[in-house]
Amino acid sequence: MADMQNVGQYRVIGVPVERVDGVEMVSGKALYGVDVRLPGMLWGKVLRSPIAHGRVLRIDTEKAGKHPGVRAVITAKDVPQRRYGLAVKDEPMFALDKVCYIGDAVAAVAAVDERTAEEALDLIEVDYEELPGVFEVEEAMRDGAPLVHEQMESYGVGKGYQNAWKPVPGTNVVHRAVHERGDVKAGFQLSDYVFEDNFRASQIHHCYMEPHAVVAESRIGSVTVWSCTQEVFPVRTLLAELFGLPESKVRVICTKVGGGFGGKIQARLEPYAVALSLKTGKPVKMVMTRSEEFTSAAGSTPPLVRVRTGVMKDGTLVAREVDYVWNTGAYAEGLAPCNRAIKDGTGPYRVPHVRVTSTLVYTNKVRGTQLRGLGVPEGIFAIESQMDMIAKRLGIDPLELRMKNLLDEGDTNSMGDVVYSIGLKECLRRAAEAIGWGEPKQENIGRGLAVVAKSPTTQASISGAYVQLNEDGSAQVLVGASEIGQGAVVVLSQIAAEELGLPIDAVGITVADTAVTPYDRGTYSSRVTLYAGNAVKNAAADARKQLLEVASKMTEIPESELKVENQRIVARNQPGLSLTFREVVQSAHIREKPILGRGWAGGKGDYPIGTRLQAKALVPGWKYGAQAVEVEVDKETGMVRVRKIVSAHDMGTALNPLLVKGQIVGAAVMGLGYALHERLIFDEGRVTNPSFMDYKIPSSPEIPEVVPIFVEVPLPEGPFGAKGVGELSIVGIAPAVGNAIYDAIKVRMKELPMNAERVLAEIEGQTAAEN
């Protein structure tokens, strides 16, 4: 259901343009990471720790090195002894003296084929001294708990995180940040009621279809890497620093990416492939198995959440205190979602007094990292579940309670920013209407609501773009963001075409190649449309200005009296006088210069450091939405069947309604898995369900009708008013489902996932308590 306000306003913007790369993808011609092959290429494999925590006493690689077909075996002694990491530089390439989780890298081999490499791994002998491990945050935070990283305070930090890292030395608390606005203690004293509730989420996996895949080729003094990464430039920086190379000698090329969802931001295989290529002088290919993906790559960063809310009898929110404790596993990639909670962790409500504490804790489990929504789904599950619980306690309709307290135009949010360009109340009204809120329903049928908001990415979030005009008048866009399946190449092409007055098929685009495209921080956190989109728009405007400058010289007519129209430069006061783009560009190439537009855009403000440093500019680009579901619960089995999902979103201008609909529906289905099915199951740090046979995701028969609703409130700073929409639809599904379960059978779920086993246990527990 798309608003049609943009039809006629633009030529290309707001039009459901099909993917320009769609044919090559469905025909099997697209080059994904697993498809890259080079002459003389070897296969690489990593030997990983079988224990969760222990000292490495001895590594013997002699038998592996002599195995026929093996070309190299490397361990920590063969590579630079530098630590690296997305935020905190806490990870060595190979275990230096001890391993920190089941899956930690111990050695790597390169062989003539994949099977030979796997055989060589079995021939490497490693002796360990096993140490006590800690697996849950409660035990890891106890006094005297075994330390996952004894020298944590000596670690460095990555770009953009210098002020964001606040460790507690001598503990497993790798980071703790606090944000407070108002006076929470006084707010609780003013409140008629104070309610406190606790919630828990499980660690889930990104479940991208394409595994991590990389090919590295070393030549004298330089390295080229083909990778399915979400961030080519940060990976280049990491590799250059790790191997002591200038960045000019490291080229990272992004292949087609078969899904990322935050799981392909940090380098996983790239350092090992480069090290093996440098050792052998041959190209080396590495591809993770599905089991490795589940056990050794990364999952989400799951939190415990305590929410304490002060409220008046009429439902007015007065104060809210939220404590997050996140399990980051063996390495601190969970710092980003941990800090995101500081901004997004209290919900999109008017609350005068707020305090958020966000704590990140090391354990001996597979690392937690960024996953679609960046920690916001876990927080919103707690906040929106408690909103329904408060409504029940006060005898107020959950819709009414939300409408009473939601942020609106001109309000001040929890970070002290004045809110503008917000369609949140309209989203909630339309979602409630579409789900049939308040209408009669049958027994065991329930309806639930949730409102969602997500802040924009801010510091260290720069995007650059070039737009070059070709001699035939067509345009070539160069942008450093990765295309990870979301359709960025289509939207960025539309932006350039609209700004230049070109048809979409006259725009070519090249993305994510560090030797060709300008710098971009990467594809994550719904930032590409806003930042890369603005960079492309600015670059196209620059190219357009240069085009008019050349045309002005050719016609001796001032630029102000010329306009762009149908791939021509037309004199405003002399309609019969015009030049084609081709004529102007050819003249520029002969007499002037190439027409190359340059543009950039980036985040504002000083999030996510936990406290505002100085009164910097407010941060534009908050995204808002509301979601509603209808469920049917079988009280005999605990099975929950979602009958309908409504997902209403204020994404600013919908640049491409076809892609926006796809993003909303896809993320909602992903949220359904998060709500009802998905979790990594552990036994003393070991993942016991490392395959899609045992890790449950929604299948086609379980996917209900999903109704996307567009609420277009343009953002003045966005490209043609766009804000972005990629992550938002995953955020509110779990609390909406939980609220619907309660509406159906009066059982409150506080832990994710809400699978049949847990729902039935809650039903039986409630029945026993009543008896």
Side-chain angles (χ1 to χ4, degrees):
M1 297 171 60
D3 291 340
M4 301 303 290
Q5 65 185 56
N6 293 323
V7 175
Q9 183 179 358
Y10 302 115
R11 297 176 314 98
V12 181
I13 295 300
V15 176
V17 177
E18 294 184 355
R19 295 186 61 129
V20 296
D21 56 349
V23 173
E24 69 171 10
M25 292 173 67
V26 299
S27 65
K29 295 180 180 178
L31 186 73
Y32 289 88
V34 296
D35 299 320
V36 178
R37 291 178 175 83
L38 298 177
M41 186 175 72
L42 303 174
W43 269 90
K45 286 286 180 180
V46 175
L47 179 69
R48 301 185 181 277
S49 169
I51 65 172
H53 196 201
R55 303 286 177 196
V56 179
L57 303 179
R58 182 182 71 94
I59 303 177
D60 188 342
T61 64
E62 184 177 1
K63 291 179 182 177
K66 293 179 178 178
H67 188 62
V70 172
R71 297 293 180 263
V73 184
I74 58 175
T75 64
K77 64 181 177 60
D78 302 302
V79 298
Q81 303 294 298
R82 300 185 180 97
R83 292 181 182 266
Y84 61 94
L86 177 67
V88 180
K89 296 185 178 183
D90 55 0
E91 183 175 6
M93 271 188 64
F94 296 109
L96 296 175
D97 55 357
K98 74 170 190 173
V99 292
C100 295
Y101 77 105
I102 295 172
D104 233 350
V106 176
V109 302
V112 293
D113 56 38
E114 187 174 14
R115 181 175 179 178
T116 303
E118 289 173 345
E119 291 171 350
L121 292 185
D122 292 335
L123 297 175
I124 299 174
E125 299 176 4
V126 186
D127 293 336
Y128 300 96
E129 177 192 349
E130 197 158 357
L131 299 172
V134 288
F135 306 107
E136 302 301 333
V137 293
E138 297 96 330
E139 59 179 317
M141 294 176 71
R142 291 188 188 123
D143 290 341
L147 295 181
V148 180
H149 291 265
E150 290 91 347
Q151 300 175 334
M152 174 179 65
E153 61 270 24
S154 68
Y155 296 156
V157 293
K159 182 175 67 174
Y161 288 92
Q162 289 85 351
N163 296 315
W165 184 36
K166 300 175 181 178
V168 181
T171 75
N172 285 311
V173 176
V174 62
H175 176 66
R176 178 174 287 141
V178 179
H179 168 69
E180 186 167 9
R181 181 171 174 268
D183 186 332
V184 171
K185 183 178 180 180
F188 286 142
Q189 292 174 344
L190 289 171
S191 302
D192 290 328
Y193 303 102
V194 177
F195 301 113
E196 181 174 324
D197 299 284
N198 295 281
F199 303 87
R200 180 188 290 266
S202 296
Q203 186 174 32
I204 66 173
H205 193 264
H206 304 77
C207 293
Y208 31 72
M209 291 297 98
E210 177 204 25
H212 281 86
V214 61
V215 173
E217 182 181 32
S218 63
R219 303 204 170 203
I220 298 175
S222 67
V223 173
T224 301
V225 176
W226 291 262
S227 171
C228 57
T229 178
Q230 295 178 232
E231 296 185 347
V232 292
F233 286 93
V235 169
R236 180 185 69 176
T237 298
L238 182 153
L239 294 174
E241 291 178 351
L242 192 57
F243 292 98
L245 296 169
E247 292 192 20
S248 59
K249 299 299 183 182
V250 180
R251 181 182 185 184
V252 180
I253 303 167
C254 184
T255 61
K256 275 289 181 188
V257 182
F261 312 117
K264 294 177 180 174
I265 290 177
Q266 174 65 329
R268 295 285 178 252
L269 295 176
E270 290 86 347
Y272 306 107
V274 169
L276 289 168
S277 182
L278 289 169
K279 181 79 170 180
T280 62
K282 299 283 188 179
V284 174
K285 181 174 186 173
M286 302 184 76
V287 179
M288 275 192 171
T289 65
R290 185 60 60 183
S291 177
E292 279 185 296
E293 288 287 354
F294 279 108
T295 62
S296 306
S300 66
T301 309
L304 305 178
V305 188
R306 181 182 69 89
V307 186
R308 192 166 181 241
T309 302
V311 60
M312 305 305 292
K313 292 177 182 178
D314 66 355
T316 301
L317 299 179
V318 179
R320 175 163 282 163
E321 183 177 45
V322 190
D323 291 326
Y324 292 90
V325 183
W326 307 81
N327 190 333
T328 193
Y331 299 107
E333 288 183 29
L335 185 61
C338 177
N339 272 330
R340 178 70 64 159
I342 294 295
K343 297 188 288 180
D344 300 30
T346 61
Y349 296 103
R350 290 188 308 275
V351 187
H353 309 285
V354 296
R355 178 182 173 89
V356 182
T357 302
S358 197
T359 303
L360 190 69
V361 181
Y362 280 131
T363 64
N364 294 113
K365 296 171 76 171
V366 63
R367 83 193 74 213
T369 192
Q370 303 170 79
L371 189 144
R372 194 174 194 173
L374 200 61
V376 181
E378 292 86 345
I380 290 294
F381 172 66
I383 297 297
E384 286 302 285
S385 295
Q386 198 201 42
M387 286 297 290
D388 261 41
M389 296 165 75
I390 292 172
K392 170 65 176 177
R393 291 157 178 163
L394 297 180
I396 300 175
D397 182 273
L399 174 60
E400 179 187 341
L401 180 66
R402 287 179 172 84
M403 292 297 290
K404 183 180 184 67
N405 291 284
L406 280 179
L407 290 170
D408 208 346
E409 200 81 17
D411 288 336
T412 301
N413 66 18
S414 64
M415 295 303 296
D417 288 342
V418 176
V419 174
Y420 67 101
S421 179
I422 177 173
L424 182 54
K425 287 187 174 181
E426 183 180 353
C427 288
L428 181 54
R429 278 192 292 265
R430 293 178 65 177
E433 179 184 0
I435 206 66
W437 190 261
E439 296 178 5
K441 53 187 176 61
Q442 297 177 345
E443 186 181 2
N444 298 338
I445 302 293
R447 300 183 184 116
L449 300 171
V451 293
V452 299
K454 188 170 184 296
S455 59
T457 302
T458 51
Q459 61 169 214
S461 186
I462 299 298
S463 290
Y466 299 152
V467 173
Q468 178 175 292
L469 293 181
N470 304 314
E471 285 217 1
D472 63 355
S474 64
Q476 184 68 31
V477 177
L478 302 174
V479 64
S482 297
E483 166 62 72
I484 64 171
Q486 81 278 36
V489 295
V490 187
V491 169
L492 297 178
S493 297
Q494 286 180 266
I495 291 170
E498 187 69 47
E499 188 68 30
L500 289 168
L502 289 172
I504 189 71
D505 59 5
V507 177
I509 185 166
T510 299
V511 298
D513 181 339
T514 61
V516 176
T517 58
Y519 179 84
D520 190 285
R521 186 63 177 84
T523 300
Y524 62 95
S525 197
S526 302
R527 65 172 298 281
V528 172
T529 293
L530 181 58
Y531 296 144
N534 265 333
V536 169
K537 187 174 186 293
N538 294 338
D542 186 25
R544 176 187 175 119
K545 184 177 186 301
Q546 294 177 43
L547 194 70
L548 291 171
E549 288 173 355
V550 175
S552 175
K553 292 180 181 179
M554 292 173 67
T555 60
E556 298 184 346
I557 296 174
E559 290 177 48
S560 61
E561 297 179 16
L562 298 174
K563 63 179 180 179
V564 174
E565 189 175 276
N566 297 324
Q567 294 180 268
R568 304 181 74 88
I569 307 297
V570 179
R572 296 179 185 275
N573 301 322
Q574 303 177 55
L577 179 58
S578 67
L579 295 169
T580 65
F581 278 18
R582 180 192 292 267
E583 290 171 326
V584 177
V585 176
Q586 286 180 347
S587 177
H589 286 177
I590 294 171
R591 300 179 179 85
E592 296 287 338
K593 61 179 181 180
I595 295 180
L596 176 64
R598 296 174 175 83
W600 73 275
K604 296 180 179 180
D606 48 24
Y607 305 163
I609 62 173
T611 56
R612 303 297 290 271
L613 286 179
Q614 298 168 351
K616 292 189 178 181
L618 58 80
V619 182
W622 281 78
K623 292 164 273 288
Y624 304 98
Q627 296 176 283
V629 302
E630 183 177 274
V631 306
E632 180 178 4
V633 184
D634 186 332
K635 295 180 73 171
E636 298 298 318
T637 65
M639 288 292 294
V640 178
R641 182 172 73 90
V642 177
R643 294 156 52 102
K644 183 178 181 179
I645 295 174
V646 179
S647 204
H649 297 281
D650 169 16
M651 74 292 292
T653 302
L655 302 181
N656 186 321
L658 185 65
L659 294 181
V660 170
K661 180 180 179 181
Q663 288 290 306
I664 291 174
V665 173
V669 172
M670 198 169 180
L672 191 64
Y674 173 65
L676 294 178
H677 307 299
E678 295 185 49
R679 63 170 173 155
L680 291 173
I681 302 172
F682 291 89
D683 179 11
E684 295 293 297
R686 183 181 304 278
V687 178
T688 62
N689 59 333
S691 75
F692 286 131
M693 291 292 291
D694 302 304
Y695 183 96
K696 172 69 174 152
I697 58 176
S699 58
S700 295
E702 297 165 308
I703 297 173
E705 175 190 11
V706 180
V707 180
I709 296 176
F710 297 5
V711 176
E712 298 186 75
V713 181
L715 177 70
E717 296 88 348
F720 300 103
K723 298 173 183 175
V725 73
E727 295 175 297
L728 211 58
S729 189
I730 192 177
V731 173
I733 298 298
V737 169
N739 292 337
I741 291 172
Y742 184 85
D743 186 49
I745 61 171
K746 299 302 180 282
V747 167
R748 173 56 60 184
M749 303 300 296
K750 294 185 176 182
E751 183 172 358
L752 295 175
M754 297 172 284
N755 55 28
E757 180 183 7
R758 284 180 175 164
V759 173
L760 185 59
E762 291 294 330
I763 293 172
E764 292 174 344
Q766 181 171 296
T767 302
E770 291 172 352
N771 294 332

